[in-house]
């Protein structure tokens, strides 16, 4: 089978299921596992590489008005790869190729490849998406073993968390300019890790959040996981965050409990590495109880 992935989290699912040798094309953002970067790219982005966070936000909002995505298909590349299966998503309106464009492209391709849409909003949904991909690729038995391994890691964190009495107010910040509270799976990760999400709602979309509301919530721990940004890129925007009125008065700032994590690799990708994200977050919140597994990066303390 010849598989094309149209989002990084799907690429990670496909490879986690042992289907790397069947993956023939990926997006321009797919970078994990490392060897997928050499695969043909079938998408392009409209976001300038040097855009500021504010400019990216404005561009996203403008595209939402027109119901157009920020990414487009490279049809010539797609046609040359002759896919049997295309894995895409309908979760975010702008962070991947529009579903309508994918469906139209599939209809125009020889052989009419199967298209599956992934739309996870929590950890359990991610596991179901793995089953969905596995069923399409006819490897369901392997999927159950893989999901079992991931579930055992989640359960290990949840079991350790049961003994925690003092669960801090946590805000997982998904964007800085303007501030966004993190929704979808993020509040679930916070709860499993031993915290109480101060603003975000599990299963709901991430939303623009007034800075005054963040000050009123006064998180005891602030975890900055900017969507699509790694730690060095996120650190560039920290002066913006520090310029907001009331920053110095926040409990998390006074207690030196502000952390930066790699949102691009972990927290904003609804794939297998959400389990890694959980383990990183748990270690940041309760380091003495949740040891950081080998190979995972420690949350950067601001």
């Amino acid at each position: 089978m010849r598989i094309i992935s149209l989002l990084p989290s799907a690429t990670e699912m496909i490879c986690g299921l042992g289907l790397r040798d069947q993956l023939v094309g990926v997006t321009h953002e797919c970078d994990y596992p490392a060897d997928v970067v050499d695969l043909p790219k079938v998408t392009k982005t409209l976001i300038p590489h040097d855009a500021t966070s504010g400019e990216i936000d404005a561009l996203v909002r403008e595209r939402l008005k027109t119901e157009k995505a920020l990414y487009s298909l490279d049809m010539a590349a797609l046609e040359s790869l002759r896919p049997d299966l295309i894995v895409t998503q309908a979760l975010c309106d702008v962070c991947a190729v529009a579903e309508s464009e994918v469906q139209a492209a599939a209809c125009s391709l020889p052989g009419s490849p199967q298209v599956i849409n992934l739309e996870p909003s929590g950890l359990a949904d991610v596991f179901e998406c793995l089953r969905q991909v596995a069923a399409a690729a006819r490897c369901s038995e392997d999927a159950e073993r893989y999901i079992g391994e991931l579930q055992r890691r989640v359960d290990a964190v949840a079991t350790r968390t049961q003994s925690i009495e003092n669960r801090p107010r946590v805000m997982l910040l998904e964007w800085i300019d303007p501030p966004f509270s993190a929704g979808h799976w993020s509040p679930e990760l916070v709860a499993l890790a031993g915290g109480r999400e101060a603003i975000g709602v599990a299963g709901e979309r991430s939303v623009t959040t007034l800075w005054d509301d963040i000050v009123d919530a006064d998180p005891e721990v602030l975890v900055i996981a900017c969507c699509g940004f790694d730690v060095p890129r996120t650190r560039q925007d920290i002066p913006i965050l520090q310029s907001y009125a009331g920053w110095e008065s926040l409990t998390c700032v006074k207690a030196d409990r502000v952390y930066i994590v790699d949102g691009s690799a972990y927290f904003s990708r609804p794939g297998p590495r959400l389990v890694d994200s959980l383990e990183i977050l748990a270690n940041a919140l309760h380091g003495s109880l949740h040891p950081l597994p080998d190979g995972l990066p420690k949350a950067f303390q601001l």
Side-chain angles (χ1 to χ4, degrees):
M1 178 173 289
R2 299 175 62 81
I3 306 173
I4 282 180
S5 168
L6 294 183
L7 61 161
S9 58
T11 297
E12 296 182 18
M13 289 183 186
I14 291 162
C15 294
L17 290 167
L19 301 170
R20 169 62 184 84
D21 62 336
Q22 299 181 46
L23 187 63
V24 296
V26 295
T27 77
H28 62 282
E29 290 188 324
C30 292
D31 56 10
Y32 187 88
D35 64 350
V36 303
V37 298
D38 296 325
L39 288 170
K41 309 298 187 292
V42 297
T43 62
K44 301 175 182 178
T45 180
L46 299 176
I47 300 175
H49 75 278
D50 57 351
T52 67
S53 294
E55 289 168 344
I56 294 171
D57 179 73
L59 185 56
V60 168
R61 292 176 190 275
E62 183 61 32
R63 299 299 284 186
L64 281 172
K65 291 178 184 177
T66 59
E67 297 184 353
K68 293 181 179 179
L70 289 167
Y71 305 102
S72 61
L73 285 173
D74 183 334
M75 282 303 300
L78 194 64
E79 290 169 3
S80 70
L81 293 172
R82 298 175 290 105
D84 303 302
L85 174 65
I86 300 174
V87 185
T88 185
Q89 63 94 48
L91 177 68
C92 178
D93 295 328
V94 294
C95 65
V97 179
E99 180 184 3
S100 58
E101 184 178 353
V102 177
Q103 294 290 352
C107 291
S108 71
L109 292 173
S112 297
Q114 180 183 3
V115 176
I116 59 173
N117 259 306
L118 309 181
E119 198 166 357
S121 60
L123 274 175
D125 297 328
V126 170
F127 296 161
E128 285 305 311
C129 286
L130 280 164
R131 292 187 176 98
Q132 188 179 350
V133 173
R138 298 185 288 277
C139 64
S140 294
E141 187 173 332
D142 292 336
E144 291 308 316
R145 285 195 293 269
Y146 183 46
I147 293 168
E149 294 169 4
L150 295 172
Q151 186 64 63
R152 280 189 288 274
R153 290 167 58 193
V154 173
D155 292 343
V157 173
T159 298
R160 292 193 298 269
T161 294
Q162 287 178 358
S163 65
I164 298 173
E165 294 184 1
N166 180 25
R167 304 192 178 204
R169 294 186 310 280
V170 178
M171 181 176 185
L172 204 57
L173 188 66
E174 191 173 280
W175 201 250
I176 289 174
D177 184 22
F180 267 71
S181 59
H184 299 301
W185 46 84
S186 295
E188 178 186 4
L189 297 184
V190 170
L192 286 167
R196 294 177 290 120
E197 171 59 54
I199 294 180
V201 179
E204 299 293 331
R205 289 181 177 272
S206 303
V207 295
T208 310
T209 304
L210 294 175
W211 178 250
D212 286 347
D213 290 342
I214 297 173
V215 172
D216 290 343
D218 193 21
E220 297 169 274
V221 181
L222 179 63
V223 180
I224 306 166
C226 288
C227 183
F229 284 1
D230 59 14
V231 171
R233 177 60 186 85
T234 302
R235 290 182 67 182
Q236 293 179 26
D237 283 358
I238 294 303
I240 299 173
L241 190 62
Q242 293 171 327
S243 72
Y244 292 145
W247 165 259
E248 294 292 343
S249 69
L250 292 176
T251 297
C252 57
V253 174
K254 292 188 289 186
D256 289 325
R257 299 211 68 188
V258 178
Y259 301 94
I260 302 173
V261 292
D262 189 333
S264 177
Y266 299 103
F267 290 78
S268 53
R269 285 192 189 182
R273 286 199 291 173
L274 278 189
V275 178
D276 293 1
S277 306
L278 170 62
E279 293 168 333
I280 293 168
L281 181 60
N283 176 257
L285 296 187
H286 303 283
S288 61
L289 184 65
H290 295 297
L292 188 68
D294 292 341
L296 291 186
K298 193 176 183 68
F300 178 85
Q301 190 169 11
L302 190 62

